[in-house]
């Protein structure tokens, strides 16, 4: 499974669901994707390529803390009418583990009720330096700090911990690592990079990515090598 970029196609998104949810034990991932693509309508393909923020299916639109609740009517409309394939992130506050698991479980359950092809929802989160959208999550130094340590073993360990906490939350897709090279320290998101050295970015980014996705542990999540276009 290669790391995914921020822009994704239907085939990549369906491949991701196959990788994460084992859609079929009888066929390979590629065969499953091809079969689904042949059966999908144009509207379903467009929907699978669409990713909405949590606000679109929340009872609150401006901010959310411990009172978060899904707007199940809005969720059903997005899934049944527009065939939405993915949601991302959260509001301006972290959620507790019970909040995450409850929300994700309900999203998947309703999707199973209304989805014609039963393609699982792929929920993505920006866990760039730890799963900081989880109240009980472990927060690590940003990538620029990890780059200063020049420690690939540490990058692997962080990747594994991030994967564990995301998996426990029911979140299968991480929007990390950032592999843009930090050429200008005045850039407002410079701290998210591994700095300006391509070799350091490649070594640490590879270690962080592969440890998250390795099937050898019980909680792999899909990583995203980002952003490359129109960014740093």
């Amino acid at each position: 499974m290669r790391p995914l970029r921020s822009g994704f196609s239907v085939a990549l998104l369906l491949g991701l669901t196959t990788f994460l949810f084992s859609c079929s034990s009888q066929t390979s991932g590629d065969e499953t994707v091809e079969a689904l693509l042949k059966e999908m309508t144009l509207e379903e393909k467009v929907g699978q390529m669409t990713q909405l923020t949590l606000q679109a299916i929340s009872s609150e639109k401006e901010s959310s803390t411990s009172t978060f609740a899904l707007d199940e009517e809005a969720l059903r409309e997005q899934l049944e009418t527009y065939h939405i394939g993915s949601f991302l992130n959260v509001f301006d506050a972290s959620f507790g583990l019970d909040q995450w698991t409850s929300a994700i479980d309900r999203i998947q359950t309703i999707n199973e009720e209304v989805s014609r092809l039963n393609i699982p929802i792929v929920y993505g989160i920006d866990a760039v330096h730890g799963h900081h959208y989880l109240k009980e999550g472990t927060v690590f130094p940003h990538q620029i700090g990890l780059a200063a340590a020049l420690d690939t073993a540490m990058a692997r360990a962080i990747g594994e911990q991030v994967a564990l906490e995301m998996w426990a939350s029911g979140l299968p897709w991480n929007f990390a690592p950032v592999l843009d090279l930090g050429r200008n320290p005045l850039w407002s998101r410079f701290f998210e990079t591994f700095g300006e050295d391509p070799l350091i970015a490649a070594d640490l980014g590879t270690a962080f990515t592969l440890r998250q996705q390795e099937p050898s542990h019980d909680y792999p999540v899909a990583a995203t090598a980002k952003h490359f276009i129109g960014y740093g």
Side-chain angles (χ1 to χ4, degrees):
M1 180 72 180
R2 292 188 178 91
L4 298 183
R5 297 189 179 188
S6 297
F8 49 85
S9 67
V10 173
L12 284 175
L13 188 53
L14 290 176
L16 177 58
T17 63
T18 302
F19 168 74
L20 293 169
F21 297 98
S22 302
C23 293
S24 172
S25 60
Q26 302 300 314
T27 60
S28 71
D30 288 344
E31 290 170 340
T32 301
V33 169
E34 288 300 321
L36 282 170
L37 284 171
K38 290 177 180 178
E39 195 172 346
M40 291 170 71
T41 66
L42 177 60
E43 288 78 10
E44 287 170 334
K45 292 176 181 178
V46 171
Q48 283 296 311
M49 293 176 67
T50 303
Q51 185 178 66
L52 301 179
T53 65
L54 187 61
Q55 285 93 326
I57 54 172
S58 171
S59 58
E60 300 178 61
K61 304 302 180 186
E62 298 300 326
S63 181
S64 181
T65 55
S66 60
T67 60
F68 168 77
L70 285 171
D71 182 339
E72 295 198 1
E73 182 178 348
L75 174 60
R76 287 181 182 276
E77 180 184 22
Q78 297 294 348
L79 297 177
E80 190 168 18
T81 304
Y82 302 107
H83 316 291
I84 299 301
S86 184
F87 296 98
L88 79 158
N89 277 3
V90 70
F91 289 77
D92 55 359
S94 298
F95 286 178
L97 190 61
D98 289 344
Q99 287 177 293
W100 271 122
T101 54
S102 175
I104 299 300
D105 180 70
R106 192 60 186 149
I107 289 171
Q108 296 291 3
T109 297
I110 293 177
N111 182 64
E112 290 174 4
E113 294 173 0
V114 303
S115 173
R116 184 175 74 90
L117 299 175
N118 197 26
I119 299 172
I121 293 296
V122 184
Y123 203 112
I125 201 81
D126 281 280
V128 178
H129 64 119
H131 184 10
H132 47 276
Y133 285 108
L134 174 67
K135 285 183 178 179
E136 303 90 342
T138 308
V139 178
F140 298 97
H142 261 291
Q143 288 186 184
I144 194 66
L146 182 56
L150 296 174
D151 191 334
T152 54
M154 186 183 301
R156 284 178 57 83
I158 291 173
E160 180 171 358
Q161 184 64 25
V162 169
L164 170 61
E165 295 181 7
M166 286 182 58
W167 188 265
S169 305
L171 299 165
W173 187 7
N174 188 10
F175 297 146
V178 175
L179 294 183
D180 299 84
L181 296 181
R183 298 293 192 186
N184 187 344
L186 297 178
W187 178 38
S188 60
R189 297 185 72 170
F190 179 87
F191 60 89
E192 287 190 335
T193 76
F194 287 116
E196 66 178 1
D197 189 293
L199 182 59
I200 293 174
D203 286 349
L204 297 180
T206 297
F208 181 83
T209 297
L210 293 183
R211 189 52 184 160
Q212 289 183 83
Q213 297 187 156
E214 280 179 1
S216 59
H217 60 70
D218 295 330
Y219 35 87
V221 299
T224 308
K226 65 181 187 181
H227 295 80
F228 302 121
I229 299 176
Y231 204 59

